[in-house]
């Protein structure tokens, strides 16, 4: 992202549970502020983080060049902290300055952002009756949305202390302290600017969101309405021509407990009702449910039906029982398949398209053309025909399927007689397109011809150099992750695991296998608070290494132990409560990272897209001497390492400088602080993430 007032591009960061160390202010999510403040940006070059709502400080340097207590010299915004030869404390308040500060190069003194903001506010003398702080007239860009209209950008009244902005054109709202609104016609509503009264519910009685400082209120009914429902997107008092109900529905704008007839779940405010059907209740969102949709968990279309009908129904997504007396989605082809209305229309399940009246298109899913009983022409290898081999004779361990990059073994396979391309029969039959729980959009099979693309899997968050992949047009998934089915059965847990996409759990939950943080995609048993990330859920149960070629290594799901375990590869301690590999015959224990690394389908010479200084090249760690990592300064213990050829400017000519990293984590760590690297990136067991 490019911002005015800064020469470097900024990258976005999100901290769902707080913890963003803003270089401009002292506020964080843990201080009780709005969770949105944990959205921000960082500059890798200047090494600072900043809340999205604090980006306005880059406009200050064009608004104020002097401080009232430091007149005569201009102050410049610095983004790399106080210069080494100066006192890092603020010249005004005495507090230690942050990465962002104002500096006088003549006097060698520093001022923090808050003191500069206070000075700006004290000089503006812009006192408005609807806010208790002095305001500034400032263009905050797209960083703070207007509290009245909800739209970002533009010139307006700004309170840096409260992160508040009101467009100049929207201030006219405050000229009318009382309004009459269609959602509360009995009494007029008064405009409040200091938040909802303590005697009432502090949320909007229509949408349930927190009202904030600005809202409309009826002190007779104790009724609250936020600015969004009052001005930005008011609710219609009646709905007609709906997909899921034949009558007109009326809005009841008040706090009222009910059970929604469309989904069977409870509600606590402002439903739509059908008076002709003896008060059938609908959530606001359920009143607009689509009639016919496609979900990513089923091959056929599903249609809304009310009531679902007598039977023992279980939702195909959450596996929870469906009350047949309420509405739900069902498949006309598969008579036992049904979904909760709320599950079927989730963002990660439905692509948002209403298919009522849209004819179904027959797509070409076949991956090959059958020439005869034993010969096919596969779309991933169209230049040559492939011949079937099903004699059952096991191939060498080194012969891998070109799609899943696993040993073919004794499985039936197709082989090209003119080149070395081999694909096992199962992978050869993978359809070119399919629906999958990882994306609401159709996944397309991509063959990665000649293995020239190194890609990042958005499920397990690992790079892979070889093999087929699936893509939805935006995100990419390797074949292992995109071949998983729901519910997922794993030997580490007695209950089936379900796919969840929830960024709010990532901070609270930990992966049961590696004890690492979770991304917004993971597998879970909610009943037991049991979580697995995709990397650990897809770990191979057995692995063979050259140094242990006599016996296979087996995955152990952790255990309670009184003594210490040591990894036989990196010679460091192993936490027995995390998953590890072991040999039942030799008794050795090995870190998962030391056995597999953090790259799937490693290929010597494969490249991972890096920064402007160069890409990362994959090298196998199979020499007698382990290379030394340039970041952690430890010997590389994983089965492969990364090399970056970095251009270094010299006095005469440019020179190539070779950097070696034991892991992708160390490559990232060499460019940024450890706290900036997401916890989902696996840290090698010989590296301390805290440093």
């Amino acid at each position: 992202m490019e911002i005015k007032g800064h020469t470097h591009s900024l990258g976005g960061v999100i901290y769902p549970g707080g913890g963003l160390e803003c270089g401009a202010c002292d506020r964080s999510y843990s201080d009780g502020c709005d969770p949105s403040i944990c959205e921000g940006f960082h500059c890798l070059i200047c090494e600072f983080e900043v809340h999205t709502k604090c980006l306005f400080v880059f406009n200050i340097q064009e608004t104020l060049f002097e401080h009232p207590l430091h007149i005569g010299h201009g102050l410049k915004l610095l983004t790399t902290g106080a210069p080494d030869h100066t006192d890092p404390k603020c010249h005004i308040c005495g507090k230690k300055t942050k990465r962002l500060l104002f500096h006088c190069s003549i006097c060698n003194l520093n001022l923090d952002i808050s003191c500069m903001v206070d000075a700006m506010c004290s000089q503006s003398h812009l006192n408005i009756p609807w806010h208790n702080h002095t305001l500034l007239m400032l263009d905050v860009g797209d960083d703070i949305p207007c509290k009245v209209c909800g739209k970002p950008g533009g010139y307006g009244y700004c309170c840096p202390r409260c992160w508040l902005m009101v467009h100049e054109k929207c201030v006219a709202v405050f000229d009318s302290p009382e309004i009459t609104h269609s959602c509360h016609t009995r009494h007029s509503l008064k405009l409040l600017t200091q938040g909802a009264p303590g005697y009432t519910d502090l949320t909007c009685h229509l949408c349930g969101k927190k009202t904030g400082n600005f809202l409309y209120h009826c002190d007779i009914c104790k009724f609250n309405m936020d600015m969004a429902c009052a001005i930005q997107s008011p609710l219609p008092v009646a709905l007609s021509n709906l997909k899921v109900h034949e009558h007109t529905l009326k809005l009841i704008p008040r706090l009222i407990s009910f059970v929604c007839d469309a989904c069977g779940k409870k509600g606590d405010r402002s439903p739509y009702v059908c008076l002709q059907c003896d008060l059938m209740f609908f959530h606001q969102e359920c009143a607009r449910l689509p009639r016919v949709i496609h979900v990513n968990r089923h091959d056929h279309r599903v249609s809304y039906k009310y009531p679902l009908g007598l039977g023992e129904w279980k939702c195909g997504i959450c596996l929870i029982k469906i009350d047949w007396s309420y509405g739900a989605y069902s498949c006309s082809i598969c008579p036992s398949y049904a979904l909760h209305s709320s599950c079927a229309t989730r963002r990660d399940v439905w692509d948002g398209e209403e298919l009522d009246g849209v004819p179904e298109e027959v797509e070409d899913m076949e991956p090959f053309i059958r020439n005869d009983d034993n010969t096919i022409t596969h779309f991933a290898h169209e230049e040559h025909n492939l011949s079937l081999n099903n004699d059952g004779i096991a191939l060498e361990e080194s012969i891998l399927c070109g799609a899943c990059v696993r040993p073919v073994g004794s499985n039936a396979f197709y082989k090209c007689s003119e080149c070395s391309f081999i694909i096992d029969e199962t992978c050869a039959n993978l359809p070119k397109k399919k629906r999958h729980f990882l994306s609401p959009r159709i996944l397309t099979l991509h063959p990665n011809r000649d293995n020239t693309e190194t890609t990042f899997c958005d499920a397990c968050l690992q790079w892979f150099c070889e093999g087929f992949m699936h893509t939805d047009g935006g995100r990419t998934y390797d074949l292992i992750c995109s071949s998983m089915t729901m519910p997922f059965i794993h030997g580490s847990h007695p209950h089936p695991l379900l796919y969840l996409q929830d960024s709010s759990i990532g901070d609270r939950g930990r992966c049961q296998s590696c004890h690492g943080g979770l991304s917004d995609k993971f597998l879970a048993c909610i009943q037991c608070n049991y979580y697995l990330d995709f990397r650990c859920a897809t770990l191979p149960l057995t692995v063979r290494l050259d140094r242990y070629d006599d016996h296979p290594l087996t995955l152990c799901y952790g255990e309670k132990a009184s003594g210490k375990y040591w990894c036989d590869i990196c010679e460091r301690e192993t936490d027995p409560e995390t998953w590890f590999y072991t040999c039942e015959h030799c008794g050795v224990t090995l870190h998962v990272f030391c056995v597999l690394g953090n790259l799937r389908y490693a290929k010597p010479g494969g490249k991972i897209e890096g920064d402007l200084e160069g890409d990362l090249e994959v090298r196998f760690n199979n020499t007698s001497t382990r290379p030394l990592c340039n970041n952690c300064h430890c010997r590389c213990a994983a089965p492969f390492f990364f090399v970056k050829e970095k251009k270094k400017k010299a006095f005469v000519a440019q020179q190539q400088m070779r950097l070696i990293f034991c892991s992708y984590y160390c490559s990232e760590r060499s460019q940024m602080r450890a706290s900036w690297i997401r916890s989902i990136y696996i840290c090698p067991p010989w590296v301390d993430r805290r440093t």
Side-chain angles (χ1 to χ4, degrees):
M1 171 185 173
E2 303 290 341
I3 64 169
K4 187 178 181 181
H6 192 59
T7 55
H8 308 139
S9 296
L10 302 184
V13 290
I14 299 177
Y15 292 82
L20 189 151
E21 299 178 7
C22 182
C25 74
D26 294 318
R27 288 172 283 195
S28 68
Y29 178 46
S30 58
D31 293 333
C33 300
D34 189 88
S36 64
I37 68 170
C38 291
E39 298 179 2
F41 295 88
H42 64 201
C43 178
L44 296 178
I45 299 175
C46 300
E47 294 190 350
F48 72 81
E49 293 175 315
V50 60
H51 292 130
T52 301
K53 294 183 178 181
C54 287
L55 287 174
F56 72 89
V57 300
F58 291 97
N59 293 332
I60 292 180
Q61 56 187 324
E62 299 182 359
T63 307
L64 181 69
F65 292 90
E66 293 183 348
H67 191 280
L69 297 182
H70 187 74
I71 300 175
H73 302 153
L75 298 172
K76 182 181 179 181
L77 178 66
L78 300 184
T79 59
T80 55
D84 294 336
H85 60 281
T86 65
D87 185 352
K89 294 182 180 179
C90 175
H91 182 68
I92 304 299
C93 66
K95 295 180 180 179
K96 186 178 179 180
T97 55
K98 293 176 169 289
R99 299 291 293 181
L100 300 181
L101 58 94
F102 282 89
H103 175 71
C104 176
S105 58
I106 300 175
C107 303
N108 280 336
L109 57 83
N110 304 305
L111 276 72
D112 65 21
I113 301 297
S114 61
C115 288
M116 182 61 76
V117 168
D118 289 341
M120 293 179 65
C121 294
S122 64
Q123 287 184 320
S124 71
H125 304 295
L126 189 57
N127 295 306
I128 304 296
W130 44 264
H131 194 63
N132 56 358
H133 294 147
T134 305
L135 301 180
L136 306 174
M137 291 298 292
L138 190 66
D139 184 357
V140 296
D142 294 335
D143 310 319
I144 304 179
C146 174
K147 288 291 185 181
V148 174
C149 70
K151 297 178 181 179
Y155 193 69
Y157 295 87
C158 176
C159 179
R161 297 184 180 99
C162 301
W163 282 326
L164 175 142
M165 193 275 285
V166 176
H167 287 132
E168 189 174 17
K169 62 182 179 181
C170 296
V171 174
V173 168
F174 301 103
D175 295 336
S176 302
E178 291 191 17
I179 64 169
T180 300
H181 199 278
S182 59
C183 289
H184 194 76
T185 55
R186 294 172 58 194
H187 311 116
S188 61
L189 298 177
K190 296 179 181 179
L191 177 63
L192 303 184
T193 60
Q194 302 299 323
Y199 59 77
T200 184
D201 187 294
L202 301 181
T203 58
C204 174
H205 288 191
L206 296 182
C207 67
K209 297 179 181 178
K210 290 184 178 180
T211 54
N213 286 338
F214 296 167
L215 71 148
Y216 286 96
H217 176 72
C218 174
D219 50 13
I220 300 175
C221 304
K222 301 180 181 179
F223 178 84
N224 296 328
M225 185 187 300
D226 64 15
M227 303 302 284
C229 292
I231 297 175
Q232 300 167 21
S233 52
L235 287 174
V237 295
L239 294 175
S240 57
N241 299 320
L242 300 173
K243 294 289 186 178
V244 296
H245 197 69
E246 64 273 21
H247 303 139
T248 298
L249 304 182
K250 301 288 186 180
L251 178 68
I252 301 180
R254 61 184 304 173
L255 297 180
I256 179 174
S257 297
F258 65 95
V259 177
C260 176
D261 285 282
C263 69
K265 293 187 175 182
K266 294 180 179 179
D268 64 355
R269 69 191 64 220
S270 301
Y272 281 97
V273 299
C274 179
L275 303 178
Q276 295 176 252
C277 296
D278 298 327
L279 295 181
M280 279 185 64
F281 287 91
F282 295 82
H283 287 117
Q284 295 169 22
E285 59 274 17
C286 291
R288 299 180 175 89
L289 285 174
R291 180 176 295 162
V292 182
I293 61 175
H294 240 318
V295 295
N296 60 5
R297 312 297 177 92
H298 198 63
D299 292 332
H300 311 134
R301 292 182 176 187
V302 292
S303 305
Y304 178 81
K305 184 180 181 182
Y306 175 84
L308 179 58
L310 184 65
E312 293 293 326
W313 300 93
K314 183 181 287 188
C315 178
I317 293 177
C318 69
L319 305 184
I320 297 175
K321 182 179 179 181
I322 302 176
D323 189 333
W324 57 265
S325 63
Y326 295 102
Y329 285 87
S330 63
C331 177
S332 59
I333 300 175
C334 307
S336 62
Y337 189 81
L339 305 169
H340 286 119
S341 300
S342 55
C343 291
T345 53
R346 276 171 24 188
R347 282 188 175 184
D348 62 315
V349 174
W350 174 44
D351 60 7
E353 294 186 19
E354 162 69 84
L355 300 177
D356 186 30
V358 179
E360 288 199 64
E361 297 180 1
V362 179
E363 295 191 67
D364 180 19
M365 302 288 191
E366 293 298 323
F368 58 78
I369 299 173
R370 185 171 296 279
N371 302 320
D372 53 49
D373 291 342
N374 294 313
T375 308
I376 63 171
T377 301
H378 199 276
F379 85 100
H381 197 73
E382 295 176 330
E383 57 271 27
H384 304 139
N385 291 332
L386 304 179
S387 299
L388 177 65
N389 186 312
N390 57 1
D391 56 17
I393 300 176
L395 301 180
E396 295 181 9
E397 189 81 12
S398 60
I399 299 179
L400 307 178
C401 169
C404 64
V405 201
R406 289 172 172 169
V408 175
S410 58
N411 298 322
F413 62 91
Y414 287 94
K415 187 178 187 305
C416 178
S417 59
E418 300 186 39
C419 63
S420 59
F421 182 78
I422 290 180
I423 183 171
D424 64 47
E425 188 176 25
T426 301
C427 293
N429 283 281
L430 290 174
K432 289 195 290 185
K433 294 183 179 182
K434 72 172 185 177
R435 298 189 180 276
H436 194 266
F437 67 84
L438 283 173
S439 175
R441 299 189 293 269
I442 291 180
L443 296 184
T444 302
L445 188 64
H446 184 63
N448 191 8
R449 298 177 188 274
D450 303 322
N451 297 318
T452 56
E453 301 177 37
T454 302
T455 313
F456 186 75
C457 176
D458 281 285
C460 66
L461 306 178
Q462 295 184 100
W463 294 92
F464 57 100
C465 301
E466 295 185 89
F468 288 11
M469 65 190 78
H470 279 102
T471 178
D472 64 2
R475 297 180 181 273
T476 303
Y477 307 97
D478 65 37
L479 208 58
I480 292 179
C481 292
S482 58
S483 297
M484 297 171 67
T485 57
M486 284 290 114
F488 185 69
I489 308 299
H490 198 276
S492 65
H493 194 68
H495 304 143
L497 304 180
L498 299 180
Y499 170 69
L500 292 182
Q501 187 170 347
D502 186 354
S503 59
S504 64
I505 292 182
D507 184 66
R508 305 193 307 270
R510 291 281 168 180
C511 174
Q512 190 71 22
S513 166
C514 63
H515 296 177
L518 298 170
S519 70
D520 61 345
K521 296 183 178 70
F522 53 93
L523 304 169
C525 174
I526 300 299
Q527 175 185 348
C528 304
N529 288 328
Y530 186 92
Y531 306 106
L532 283 182
D533 60 37
F534 274 85
R535 173 183 175 272
C536 294
T538 55
L539 289 174
L541 300 181
T542 59
V543 178
R544 288 188 179 272
L545 295 182
D546 291 339
R547 61 188 299 181
Y548 306 102
D549 54 358
D550 292 337
H551 311 125
L553 301 175
T554 305
L555 182 64
C556 178
Y557 299 135
E559 58 191 30
K560 297 288 185 181
S562 56
K564 292 184 177 180
Y565 288 8
W566 297 88
C567 177
D568 195 51
I569 294 179
C570 70
E571 300 178 349
R572 287 171 173 80
E573 189 174 352
T574 302
D575 182 358
E577 294 189 6
T578 62
W579 294 5
F580 57 88
Y581 281 99
T582 183
C583 176
E584 296 178 356
H585 300 277
C586 306
V588 298
T589 57
L590 307 168
H591 291 120
V592 170
F593 191 99
C594 295
V595 174
L596 301 175
N598 61 345
L599 179 66
R600 193 167 266 178
Y601 314 142
K603 173 189 176 184
K607 292 187 182 295
I608 294 176
E609 184 177 351
D611 52 23
L612 296 176
E613 296 178 341
D615 296 336
L616 296 174
E617 183 178 333
V618 180
R619 301 279 181 89
F620 273 171
N621 192 9
N622 54 6
T623 59
S624 58
T625 303
R626 295 175 178 174
L628 199 65
C629 176
N630 283 96
N631 175 63
C632 66
H633 307 293
C634 297
R635 294 290 177 183
C636 301
F640 47 82
F641 59 92
F642 302 99
V643 175
K644 176 188 284 188
E645 300 288 350
K646 182 179 178 182
K647 292 182 179 180
K648 181 179 179 182
K649 292 184 179 180
F651 291 105
V652 180
Q654 283 192 342
Q655 297 178 342
Q656 290 290 115
M657 182 173 65
R658 174 173 294 182
L659 298 178
I660 293 176
F661 300 108
C662 64
S663 60
Y664 185 73
Y665 174 89
C666 278
S667 170
E668 293 286 284
R669 180 65 183 89
S670 68
Q671 305 173 66
M672 65 182 77
R673 291 184 291 175
S675 60
W676 290 6
I677 303 177
R678 299 173 67 189
S679 61
I680 53 178
Y681 289 141
I682 302 300
C683 179
W686 53 86
V687 177
D688 187 351
R689 183 182 281 274
R690 296 169 297 180
T691 60

